[in-house]
Every structure is written in structure tokens, then in C-alpha cells.
Short mmCIF file of all heavy atoms in Angstrom, two decimals:
data_model
loop_
_atom_site.label_atom_id
_atom_site.label_comp_id
_atom_site.label_asym_id
_atom_site.label_seq_id
_atom_site.Cartn_x
_atom_site.Cartn_y
_atom_site.Cartn_z
N GLU A 1 71.07 75.83 127.07
CA GLU A 1 69.66 75.45 127.18
C GLU A 1 68.85 76.56 127.84
O GLU A 1 67.72 76.87 127.41
CB GLU A 1 69.54 74.17 127.99
CG GLU A 1 68.09 73.72 128.22
CD GLU A 1 68.00 72.59 129.22
OE1 GLU A 1 68.67 72.67 130.27
OE2 GLU A 1 67.25 71.64 128.97
N SER A 2 69.41 77.19 128.87
CA SER A 2 68.69 78.27 129.55
C SER A 2 68.45 79.45 128.62
O SER A 2 67.40 80.11 128.68
CB SER A 2 69.46 78.73 130.79
OG SER A 2 70.61 79.49 130.46
N LEU A 3 69.39 79.71 127.71
CA LEU A 3 69.22 80.81 126.75
C LEU A 3 68.08 80.52 125.78
O LEU A 3 67.32 81.41 125.40
CB LEU A 3 70.52 81.04 125.97
CG LEU A 3 71.77 81.39 126.79
CD1 LEU A 3 72.94 81.70 125.86
CD2 LEU A 3 71.52 82.56 127.73
N LEU A 4 67.93 79.26 125.40
CA LEU A 4 66.82 78.88 124.53
C LEU A 4 65.49 78.98 125.25
O LEU A 4 64.48 79.38 124.65
CB LEU A 4 67.03 77.45 124.02
CG LEU A 4 68.11 77.30 122.94
CD1 LEU A 4 68.49 75.84 122.76
CD2 LEU A 4 67.65 77.89 121.62
N LEU A 5 65.47 78.64 126.53
CA LEU A 5 64.23 78.81 127.30
C LEU A 5 63.85 80.29 127.40
O LEU A 5 62.67 80.64 127.38
CB LEU A 5 64.41 78.23 128.71
CG LEU A 5 64.36 76.70 128.80
CD1 LEU A 5 64.84 76.22 130.16
CD2 LEU A 5 62.94 76.20 128.55
N ILE A 6 64.85 81.15 127.47
CA ILE A 6 64.60 82.59 127.54
C ILE A 6 64.08 83.11 126.21
O ILE A 6 63.07 83.83 126.14
CB ILE A 6 65.88 83.35 127.94
CG1 ILE A 6 66.28 83.03 129.38
CG2 ILE A 6 65.69 84.86 127.77
CD1 ILE A 6 67.69 83.44 129.74
N THR A 7 64.75 82.77 125.13
CA THR A 7 64.44 83.38 123.84
C THR A 7 63.27 82.71 123.12
O THR A 7 62.46 83.36 122.46
CB THR A 7 65.67 83.35 122.92
OG1 THR A 7 66.10 81.98 122.74
CG2 THR A 7 66.81 84.14 123.52
N LYS A 8 63.18 81.35 123.24
CA LYS A 8 62.15 80.62 122.50
C LYS A 8 61.07 80.01 123.39
O LYS A 8 60.04 79.58 122.90
CB LYS A 8 62.81 79.50 121.69
CG LYS A 8 63.80 79.99 120.63
CD LYS A 8 64.35 78.85 119.81
CE LYS A 8 63.31 78.26 118.89
NZ LYS A 8 63.87 77.23 117.98
N GLY A 9 61.36 79.94 124.69
CA GLY A 9 60.38 79.38 125.61
C GLY A 9 60.42 77.87 125.71
O GLY A 9 59.57 77.27 126.36
N LYS A 10 61.42 77.23 125.08
CA LYS A 10 61.50 75.77 125.15
C LYS A 10 62.95 75.32 125.00
O LYS A 10 63.80 76.03 124.46
CB LYS A 10 60.64 75.12 124.07
CG LYS A 10 61.01 75.50 122.65
CD LYS A 10 60.05 74.85 121.66
CE LYS A 10 60.39 75.22 120.23
NZ LYS A 10 59.46 74.61 119.26
N SER A 11 63.21 74.12 125.50
CA SER A 11 64.53 73.53 125.44
C SER A 11 64.67 72.71 124.16
O SER A 11 63.70 72.32 123.54
CB SER A 11 64.76 72.62 126.66
OG SER A 11 65.94 71.86 126.51
N PHE A 12 65.92 72.45 123.77
CA PHE A 12 66.17 71.55 122.65
C PHE A 12 66.25 70.10 123.13
O PHE A 12 66.32 69.18 122.32
CB PHE A 12 67.49 71.92 121.95
CG PHE A 12 68.71 71.73 122.81
CD1 PHE A 12 69.45 70.57 122.75
CD2 PHE A 12 69.12 72.74 123.67
CE1 PHE A 12 70.58 70.40 123.53
CE2 PHE A 12 70.24 72.59 124.45
CZ PHE A 12 70.98 71.41 124.39
N ARG A 13 66.22 69.90 124.45
CA ARG A 13 66.28 68.57 125.02
C ARG A 13 64.87 68.06 125.33
O ARG A 13 63.98 68.84 125.67
CB ARG A 13 67.07 68.57 126.33
CG ARG A 13 68.56 68.85 126.19
CD ARG A 13 69.12 69.26 127.53
NE ARG A 13 70.56 69.11 127.63
CZ ARG A 13 71.29 69.65 128.59
NH1 ARG A 13 70.71 70.35 129.55
NH2 ARG A 13 72.59 69.47 128.62
N LYS A 14 64.70 66.75 125.23
CA LYS A 14 63.45 66.14 125.66
C LYS A 14 63.64 65.66 127.09
O LYS A 14 64.12 64.55 127.34
CB LYS A 14 63.08 64.98 124.73
CG LYS A 14 62.73 65.42 123.32
CD LYS A 14 62.34 64.24 122.44
CE LYS A 14 61.98 64.71 121.03
NZ LYS A 14 61.60 63.58 120.15
N VAL A 15 63.29 66.53 128.04
CA VAL A 15 63.53 66.23 129.45
C VAL A 15 62.29 66.55 130.27
O VAL A 15 61.42 67.33 129.86
CB VAL A 15 64.73 67.04 130.00
CG1 VAL A 15 66.02 66.63 129.33
CG2 VAL A 15 64.48 68.54 129.84
N LYS A 16 62.23 65.94 131.44
CA LYS A 16 61.18 66.26 132.40
C LYS A 16 61.58 67.51 133.18
O LYS A 16 62.77 67.77 133.36
CB LYS A 16 60.96 65.09 133.35
CG LYS A 16 60.47 63.82 132.65
CD LYS A 16 60.32 62.69 133.65
CE LYS A 16 59.84 61.40 132.94
NZ LYS A 16 59.71 60.26 133.88
N ARG A 17 60.59 68.24 133.65
CA ARG A 17 60.90 69.48 134.36
C ARG A 17 61.79 69.26 135.58
O ARG A 17 62.67 70.06 135.87
CB ARG A 17 59.60 70.18 134.80
CG ARG A 17 58.79 70.75 133.64
CD ARG A 17 57.70 71.67 134.15
NE ARG A 17 56.87 72.15 133.06
CZ ARG A 17 55.73 71.60 132.70
NH1 ARG A 17 55.29 70.53 133.34
NH2 ARG A 17 55.03 72.09 131.70
N GLU A 18 61.55 68.14 136.29
CA GLU A 18 62.34 67.92 137.51
C GLU A 18 63.81 67.73 137.22
O GLU A 18 64.66 67.93 138.10
CB GLU A 18 61.80 66.72 138.29
CG GLU A 18 61.70 65.42 137.51
CD GLU A 18 60.30 65.16 137.00
OE1 GLU A 18 59.61 66.15 136.67
OE2 GLU A 18 59.91 63.99 136.95
N GLU A 19 64.15 67.37 135.98
CA GLU A 19 65.56 67.21 135.62
C GLU A 19 66.26 68.56 135.49
O GLU A 19 67.49 68.63 135.56
CB GLU A 19 65.68 66.41 134.32
CG GLU A 19 65.18 64.98 134.43
CD GLU A 19 65.23 64.25 133.10
OE1 GLU A 19 66.05 64.63 132.24
OE2 GLU A 19 64.46 63.30 132.91
N ILE A 20 65.48 69.61 135.26
CA ILE A 20 66.05 70.95 135.15
C ILE A 20 66.36 71.54 136.52
O ILE A 20 67.29 72.33 136.69
CB ILE A 20 65.08 71.87 134.36
CG1 ILE A 20 64.99 71.40 132.90
CG2 ILE A 20 65.51 73.33 134.43
CD1 ILE A 20 63.99 72.17 132.08
N ILE A 21 65.58 71.13 137.52
CA ILE A 21 65.70 71.70 138.86
C ILE A 21 66.88 71.04 139.58
O ILE A 21 67.03 69.82 139.57
CB ILE A 21 64.41 71.49 139.66
CG1 ILE A 21 63.22 72.10 138.90
CG2 ILE A 21 64.52 72.10 141.05
CD1 ILE A 21 61.87 71.72 139.46
N ASN A 22 67.70 71.88 140.20
CA ASN A 22 68.86 71.38 140.94
C ASN A 22 68.44 70.40 142.03
O ASN A 22 67.39 70.54 142.65
CB ASN A 22 69.62 72.54 141.56
CG ASN A 22 70.96 72.12 142.13
OD1 ASN A 22 71.08 71.77 143.29
ND2 ASN A 22 71.98 72.16 141.29
N TYR A 23 69.27 69.40 142.27
CA TYR A 23 68.98 68.33 143.23
C TYR A 23 68.62 68.91 144.60
O TYR A 23 69.25 69.83 145.09
CB TYR A 23 70.21 67.42 143.36
CG TYR A 23 70.01 66.24 144.26
CD1 TYR A 23 69.14 65.21 143.90
CD2 TYR A 23 70.69 66.14 145.47
CE1 TYR A 23 68.95 64.11 144.72
CE2 TYR A 23 70.52 65.05 146.30
CZ TYR A 23 69.64 64.04 145.93
OH TYR A 23 69.46 62.95 146.74
N ASN A 24 67.57 68.35 145.19
CA ASN A 24 67.09 68.73 146.53
C ASN A 24 66.40 70.10 146.57
O ASN A 24 66.18 70.65 147.66
CB ASN A 24 68.21 68.71 147.58
CG ASN A 24 68.46 67.31 148.11
OD1 ASN A 24 67.59 66.43 147.99
ND2 ASN A 24 69.62 67.09 148.68
N GLN A 25 66.07 70.68 145.42
CA GLN A 25 65.36 71.96 145.37
C GLN A 25 63.97 71.73 144.80
O GLN A 25 63.72 70.75 144.09
CB GLN A 25 66.13 72.97 144.50
CG GLN A 25 67.53 73.27 144.99
CD GLN A 25 67.54 73.97 146.33
OE1 GLN A 25 66.62 74.73 146.65
NE2 GLN A 25 68.57 73.71 147.13
N ASN A 26 63.06 72.64 145.11
CA ASN A 26 61.67 72.51 144.67
C ASN A 26 61.39 73.23 143.34
O ASN A 26 60.45 72.88 142.64
CB ASN A 26 60.72 73.04 145.74
CG ASN A 26 60.77 72.20 147.00
OD1 ASN A 26 60.85 70.98 146.94
ND2 ASN A 26 60.72 72.87 148.16
N ARG A 27 62.18 74.23 143.05
CA ARG A 27 61.95 75.00 141.83
C ARG A 27 63.25 75.65 141.36
O ARG A 27 64.18 75.85 142.15
CB ARG A 27 60.86 76.06 142.03
CG ARG A 27 61.16 77.07 143.13
CD ARG A 27 60.03 78.07 143.30
NE ARG A 27 58.81 77.42 143.72
CZ ARG A 27 58.51 77.20 145.01
NH1 ARG A 27 59.35 77.55 145.97
NH2 ARG A 27 57.39 76.61 145.33
N ALA A 28 63.27 75.96 140.07
CA ALA A 28 64.40 76.67 139.47
C ALA A 28 63.91 78.01 138.94
O ALA A 28 62.74 78.15 138.56
CB ALA A 28 65.02 75.84 138.36
N PHE A 29 64.81 78.99 138.91
CA PHE A 29 64.47 80.33 138.44
C PHE A 29 65.43 80.75 137.32
O PHE A 29 66.64 80.54 137.42
CB PHE A 29 64.57 81.35 139.57
CG PHE A 29 63.65 81.09 140.73
CD1 PHE A 29 64.05 80.27 141.79
CD2 PHE A 29 62.38 81.65 140.78
CE1 PHE A 29 63.21 80.02 142.86
CE2 PHE A 29 61.53 81.42 141.85
CZ PHE A 29 61.95 80.59 142.89
N ILE A 30 64.85 81.33 136.28
CA ILE A 30 65.65 81.96 135.23
C ILE A 30 65.17 83.41 135.12
O ILE A 30 63.98 83.66 134.93
CB ILE A 30 65.47 81.27 133.87
CG1 ILE A 30 65.84 79.79 133.95
CG2 ILE A 30 66.30 81.97 132.80
CD1 ILE A 30 65.54 79.02 132.67
N LYS A 31 66.11 84.34 135.26
CA LYS A 31 65.78 85.74 135.06
C LYS A 31 66.65 86.28 133.93
O LYS A 31 67.81 85.89 133.78
CB LYS A 31 66.02 86.55 136.34
CG LYS A 31 65.07 86.22 137.47
CD LYS A 31 65.33 87.13 138.68
CE LYS A 31 64.35 86.84 139.81
NZ LYS A 31 64.56 87.72 140.99
N ALA A 32 66.08 87.17 133.14
CA ALA A 32 66.84 87.73 132.02
C ALA A 32 66.31 89.11 131.66
O ALA A 32 65.17 89.46 131.99
CB ALA A 32 66.76 86.80 130.81
N VAL A 33 67.16 89.87 130.98
CA VAL A 33 66.78 91.19 130.48
C VAL A 33 67.09 91.25 128.99
O VAL A 33 68.22 91.01 128.57
CB VAL A 33 67.53 92.32 131.21
CG1 VAL A 33 67.13 93.68 130.64
CG2 VAL A 33 67.26 92.27 132.71
N ILE A 34 66.05 91.54 128.19
CA ILE A 34 66.20 91.76 126.76
C ILE A 34 65.62 93.13 126.45
O ILE A 34 64.41 93.33 126.56
CB ILE A 34 65.49 90.68 125.92
CG1 ILE A 34 66.07 89.30 126.22
CG2 ILE A 34 65.61 91.00 124.44
CD1 ILE A 34 65.36 88.17 125.50
N LYS A 35 66.48 94.08 126.14
CA LYS A 35 66.09 95.46 125.94
C LYS A 35 65.32 95.94 127.17
O LYS A 35 65.88 95.99 128.25
CB LYS A 35 65.26 95.62 124.66
CG LYS A 35 65.21 97.06 124.17
CD LYS A 35 64.49 97.20 122.84
CE LYS A 35 64.48 98.64 122.37
NZ LYS A 35 63.77 98.78 121.07
N ASN A 36 64.02 96.27 127.04
CA ASN A 36 63.24 96.73 128.20
C ASN A 36 62.35 95.63 128.78
O ASN A 36 61.48 95.90 129.60
CB ASN A 36 62.36 97.93 127.79
CG ASN A 36 63.19 99.12 127.35
OD1 ASN A 36 64.23 99.39 127.92
ND2 ASN A 36 62.73 99.81 126.31
N GLU A 37 62.57 94.40 128.32
CA GLU A 37 61.76 93.28 128.78
C GLU A 37 62.49 92.54 129.91
O GLU A 37 63.62 92.08 129.74
CB GLU A 37 61.50 92.30 127.63
CG GLU A 37 60.91 92.93 126.38
CD GLU A 37 59.39 93.03 126.46
OE1 GLU A 37 58.84 92.89 127.56
OE2 GLU A 37 58.77 93.26 125.42
N ASN A 38 61.82 92.44 131.06
CA ASN A 38 62.35 91.65 132.17
C ASN A 38 61.61 90.32 132.20
O ASN A 38 60.39 90.27 132.36
CB ASN A 38 62.14 92.39 133.50
CG ASN A 38 63.01 93.63 133.60
OD1 ASN A 38 64.21 93.54 133.77
ND2 ASN A 38 62.40 94.81 133.46
N ILE A 39 62.38 89.25 132.03
CA ILE A 39 61.78 87.92 131.92
C ILE A 39 62.07 87.12 133.18
O ILE A 39 63.18 87.13 133.69
CB ILE A 39 62.34 87.16 130.70
CG1 ILE A 39 62.06 87.92 129.40
CG2 ILE A 39 61.75 85.76 130.60
CD1 ILE A 39 63.21 88.70 128.87
N LEU A 40 61.05 86.46 133.68
CA LEU A 40 61.19 85.55 134.82
C LEU A 40 60.51 84.23 134.45
O LEU A 40 59.34 84.21 134.09
CB LEU A 40 60.55 86.13 136.08
CG LEU A 40 60.40 85.15 137.27
CD1 LEU A 40 61.77 84.68 137.77
CD2 LEU A 40 59.61 85.81 138.40
N ILE A 41 61.27 83.14 134.55
CA ILE A 41 60.72 81.80 134.31
C ILE A 41 60.88 81.00 135.59
O ILE A 41 61.99 80.87 136.12
CB ILE A 41 61.45 81.10 133.14
CG1 ILE A 41 61.37 81.95 131.87
CG2 ILE A 41 60.85 79.71 132.90
CD1 ILE A 41 62.21 81.40 130.73
N ILE A 42 59.77 80.49 136.09
CA ILE A 42 59.79 79.66 137.29
C ILE A 42 59.45 78.23 136.87
O ILE A 42 58.38 77.98 136.29
CB ILE A 42 58.77 80.16 138.33
CG1 ILE A 42 59.07 81.62 138.71
CG2 ILE A 42 58.81 79.28 139.58
CD1 ILE A 42 58.01 82.23 139.61
N ILE A 43 60.35 77.33 137.15
CA ILE A 43 60.17 75.93 136.74
C ILE A 43 59.98 75.08 137.99
O ILE A 43 60.85 75.02 138.86
CB ILE A 43 61.39 75.42 135.95
CG1 ILE A 43 61.61 76.30 134.71
CG2 ILE A 43 61.19 73.96 135.53
CD1 ILE A 43 62.93 76.06 134.02
N GLU A 44 58.82 74.43 138.07
CA GLU A 44 58.52 73.50 139.15
C GLU A 44 58.31 72.12 138.55
O GLU A 44 58.20 71.97 137.34
CB GLU A 44 57.28 73.97 139.92
CG GLU A 44 57.47 75.34 140.57
CD GLU A 44 56.20 75.89 141.18
OE1 GLU A 44 55.13 75.63 140.60
OE2 GLU A 44 56.26 76.55 142.22
N LYS A 45 58.22 71.11 139.38
CA LYS A 45 58.13 69.74 138.89
C LYS A 45 56.88 69.51 138.05
O LYS A 45 56.88 68.71 137.11
CB LYS A 45 58.18 68.76 140.05
CG LYS A 45 59.55 68.73 140.73
CD LYS A 45 59.59 67.72 141.86
CE LYS A 45 60.96 67.70 142.52
NZ LYS A 45 61.03 66.74 143.65
N ASP A 46 55.81 70.21 138.36
CA ASP A 46 54.55 70.00 137.64
C ASP A 46 54.06 71.25 136.92
O ASP A 46 52.91 71.31 136.49
CB ASP A 46 53.47 69.51 138.61
CG ASP A 46 53.25 70.47 139.77
OD1 ASP A 46 54.02 71.46 139.89
OD2 ASP A 46 52.31 70.25 140.56
N ASN A 47 54.94 72.26 136.79
CA ASN A 47 54.46 73.51 136.20
C ASN A 47 55.65 74.36 135.74
O ASN A 47 56.76 74.24 136.25
CB ASN A 47 53.63 74.29 137.21
CG ASN A 47 52.78 75.35 136.56
OD1 ASN A 47 52.65 75.40 135.34
ND2 ASN A 47 52.20 76.22 137.36
#
């Protein structure tokens, strides 16, 4: 799922953002490198 968020910008699951964030945490981070592109995705409960 994280790879799809990196490459396509969306998940294949129909889920709420808070379900992606680890329990007791406020936000989740995905970092990736594609060629010369550095990608950072910050997922919060409302954003």
C-alpha cells in the first residue's frame, strides 16, 4: 500500500487516514527516492 501511495498518490484500500497512522501516533511519514526525485508524504488524521 505504501508503494502505491508513493507511485500513484493513493491507496487501493478505502480507509480513513487515521487507520494508516500507527497507534498512539499523530502522523505517519513515507519517504522515497525515484531517480532524482525525493518524495515525502506526511499523513495526519485530517490532512
Side-chain angles (χ1 to χ4, degrees):
E1 177 190 45
S2 74
L3 301 185
L4 286 165
L5 284 168
I6 292 165
T7 58
K8 298 183 71 174
K10 59 183 180 181
S11 170
F12 65 95
R13 292 162 160 166
K14 293 181 179 180
V15 295
K16 298 178 181 179
R17 290 192 184 95
E18 55 261 34
E19 295 177 25
I20 293 176
I21 304 169
N22 190 269
Y23 183 68
N24 278 340
Q25 300 295 328
N26 295 320
R27 59 181 63 87
F29 299 88
I30 302 173
K31 292 184 178 181
V33 178
I34 299 176
K35 199 175 181 180
N36 298 322
E37 307 275 15
N38 292 287
I39 300 101
L40 169 63
I41 303 172
I42 302 173
I43 302 168
E44 299 173 325
K45 292 181 180 179
D46 57 353
N47 197 10

